[in-house]
Amino acid sequence: MRPTRPGLLAVVFVVVALLTWLTVQQFYSQMPLVPWTAIPTVLLLAVGEAYAGWMTRARIARRPGTKPVEPLAVARLVALAKASAYGGAGFAGLFGGFVLHTATELEKVTPRSEFFVSGGSLLACVVLVCAALFLEHACRIPEDHEGDRPE
């Protein structure tokens, strides 16, 4: 597997944000409110992935007190990290589209509250993408240095 490219994540974010903004422009009055529960849910996912990355990194480095990690478990964590990175970028774009639309209507009560909820959700998704990229980086095999090999 190749490492996730942040540029591609940025493209996903921008495309989804623009498509969402265009859709919300047309159908905003018919749409349900953006749920505030996305913020703590996504942040909990980010904390879980960051912790998994921290522990996996320690296990791959074979730090004292840690068990060796199974290669299949690392492959699954990489798949989780890649999926979370792309999913987080897509949902960040979704919430970004809502932020773009509601930013122009801050004088009204409902769009103002949706602006803050969407903005918080956008930030939570960015934190998830960062945690996913950290988990993916933590799953890399360390470089084998010549001086570190046992004789």
Side-chain angles (χ1 to χ4, degrees), residues 24 27-35 98 110 114 118:
V24 170
F27 303 107
Y28 182 71
S29 63
Q30 301 165 359
M31 298 179 108
L33 295 176
V34 177
F98 272 92
T110 302
E114 286 211 337
S118 298

Side-chain angles (χ1 to χ4, degrees), residues 47-110:
V47 167
E49 288 199 24
Y51 180 74
W54 182 63
M55 290 303 296
T56 303
R57 190 171 170 182
R59 291 176 69 184
I60 288 175
R62 297 183 188 235
R63 291 194 183 129
T66 60
K67 298 187 307 185
V69 65
E70 295 290 325
L72 186 58
V74 174
R76 288 178 178 155
L77 286 173
V78 170
L80 171 68
K82 288 183 93 50
S84 295
Y86 285 108
F91 279 105
L94 182 81
F95 291 120
F98 272 92
V99 167
L100 285 174
H101 175 74
T102 56
T104 61
E105 299 182 17
L106 291 177
E107 67 278 352
K108 300 175 188 170
V109 176
T110 302

Side-chain angles (χ1 to χ4, degrees), residues 16-28 31 101:
V16 173
L18 289 175
L19 289 174
T20 301
W21 178 71
L22 289 171
T23 304
V24 170
Q25 291 283 343
Q26 298 295 318
F27 303 107
Y28 182 71
M31 298 179 108
H101 175 74

